[in-house]
Tab-separated table of all heavy atoms in Angstrom:
chain	number	residue	atom	x	y	z
R	150	MET	N	-5.385	6.533	-21.787
R	150	MET	CA	-6.432	6.125	-20.822
R	150	MET	C	-5.953	4.902	-20.051
R	150	MET	O	-5.234	4.071	-20.606
R	150	MET	CB	-7.710	5.710	-21.554
R	150	MET	CG	-8.374	6.786	-22.340
R	150	MET	SD	-9.760	6.105	-23.280
R	150	MET	CE	-8.951	5.482	-24.731
R	182	ARG	N	0.442	6.748	-10.254
R	182	ARG	CA	1.266	7.974	-10.282
R	182	ARG	C	2.726	7.599	-10.610
R	182	ARG	O	3.400	8.264	-11.389
R	182	ARG	CB	1.141	8.641	-8.905
R	182	ARG	CG	2.026	9.807	-8.652
R	182	ARG	CD	1.741	10.402	-7.271
R	182	ARG	NE	2.764	11.355	-6.909
R	182	ARG	CZ	3.890	11.037	-6.286
R	182	ARG	NH1	4.117	9.788	-5.897
R	182	ARG	NH2	4.791	11.960	-6.026
R	288	ILE	N	15.690	-3.121	4.103
R	288	ILE	CA	16.813	-3.642	4.909
R	288	ILE	C	18.144	-3.249	4.259
R	288	ILE	O	19.048	-2.712	4.909
R	288	ILE	CB	16.697	-5.182	5.044
R	288	ILE	CG1	15.456	-5.548	5.864
R	288	ILE	CG2	17.962	-5.784	5.664
R	288	ILE	CD1	15.027	-7.012	5.737
Side-chain angles (χ1 to χ4, degrees):
M150 297 174 276
R182 173 177 169 272
I288 294 164

